[in-house]
């Protein structure tokens, strides 16, 4: 199983850990003691995360670039141009500094709105399930986001995937998942 997630779980077992990730790999993590797993697009309406010690989000949903065209056409009567590109977006840190992160965005600004509605909103939905807004110092929520997204959140710490742990998710677990597309 996932060594990095196992290491994080061991520190939080008393309060439990929820992991939200891709359906294709959630079963690989379910065997970890103290962990409950869910997959993206299966979170709406759930309210069972309010007492967990940690929430780990691995990955993010991302619409196939061909799927964005019909959305743009249907909702904004806009013909999408181009595909996905890698670019740098800024994240404002708790200390006020801004750090750059590599993300995947559509070249087309109109399509970027729909990508955000699919990707960013689903990741925020996952993080929101932990009900951090209702927490106090007595029951804090520790959130770990392992994904290439720049969200409107203010993190304590930001590290690259490779610096944190090169083998966070073993290759066999990612086979066929489409991570990095």
């Amino acid at each position: 199983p996932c060594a990095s997630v196992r290491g994080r779980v061991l520190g939080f077992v008393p309060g439990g850990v929820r992991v939200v990730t891709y359906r294709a790999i959630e079963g690989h993590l379910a065997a970890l003691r103290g962990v409950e797993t869910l997959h993206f697009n299966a979170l709406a309406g759930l309210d069972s995360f309010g007492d967990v010690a940690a929430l780990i989000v691995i990955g993010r949903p991302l619409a196939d670039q061909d799927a964005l065209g019909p959305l743009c056409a249907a909702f904004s009567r806009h013909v999408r141009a181009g595909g996905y590109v890698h670019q740098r977006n800024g994240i404002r840190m708790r200390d006020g500094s801004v750090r750059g992160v590599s993300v995947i965005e559509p070249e087309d600004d109109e399509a970027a709105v729909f990508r955000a509605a699919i990707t960013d909103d689903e990741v925020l939905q996952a993080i929101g399930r932990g009900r951090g807004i209702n927490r106090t110092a007595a029951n804090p929520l520790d959130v770990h986001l392992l994904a290439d997204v720049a969200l409107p959140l203010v993190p304590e710490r930001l590290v690259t995937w490779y610096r944190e742990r090169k083998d966070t998710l073993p290759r066999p677990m990612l086979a066929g998942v489409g991570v990095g597309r």
Side-chain angles (χ1 to χ4, degrees):
C2 176
S4 181
V5 171
R6 182 185 297 121
R8 285 179 171 89
V9 167
L10 292 176
F12 299 111
V13 169
V17 176
R18 299 294 190 285
V19 176
V20 179
T21 189
Y22 306 103
R23 182 188 314 223
I25 64 172
E26 80 175 302
H28 293 280
L29 300 170
L32 295 175
R33 187 175 60 85
V35 174
E36 286 187 44
T37 62
L38 291 161
H39 59 271
F40 294 112
N41 299 317
L43 303 169
L46 296 181
D47 196 23
S48 61
F49 290 37
D51 61 346
V52 300
L55 178 64
I56 303 172
V57 180
I58 302 172
R60 80 301 184 247
L62 186 65
D64 184 87
Q65 62 186 5
D66 294 332
L68 291 176
L71 286 172
C72 289
F75 288 101
S76 64
R77 299 178 189 224
H78 173 77
V79 177
R80 184 183 67 82
Y84 283 115
V85 295
H86 290 272
Q87 66 180 39
R88 303 279 295 170
N89 281 0
I91 295 180
R92 181 161 311 277
M93 304 299 293
R94 183 171 302 275
D95 67 6
S97 65
V98 176
R99 300 268 308 270
V101 295
S102 178
V103 297
I104 297 173
E105 290 280 341
E107 289 179 89
D108 185 281
D109 289 340
E110 197 74 29
V113 172
F114 293 102
R115 191 243 11 115
I118 294 166
T119 302
D120 299 358
D121 291 355
E122 184 70 11
V123 173
L124 288 169
Q125 168 90 247
I127 293 169
R129 297 292 103 192
R131 304 294 188 237
I133 193 81
N134 298 332
R135 301 297 184 109
T136 66
N139 68 340
L141 175 64
D142 195 6
V143 176
H144 297 257
L145 174 60
L146 308 174
D148 58 347
V149 294
L151 300 174
L153 302 174
V154 182
E156 289 272 331
R157 189 169 77 104
L158 181 68
V159 296
T160 65
W161 177 269
Y162 295 103
R163 182 175 163 211
E164 177 72 9
R165 181 94 177 166
K166 288 184 181 180
D167 62 344
T168 298
L169 293 174
R171 291 185 194 279
M173 288 173 60
L174 296 176
V177 174
V179 172
R181 279 194 295 188

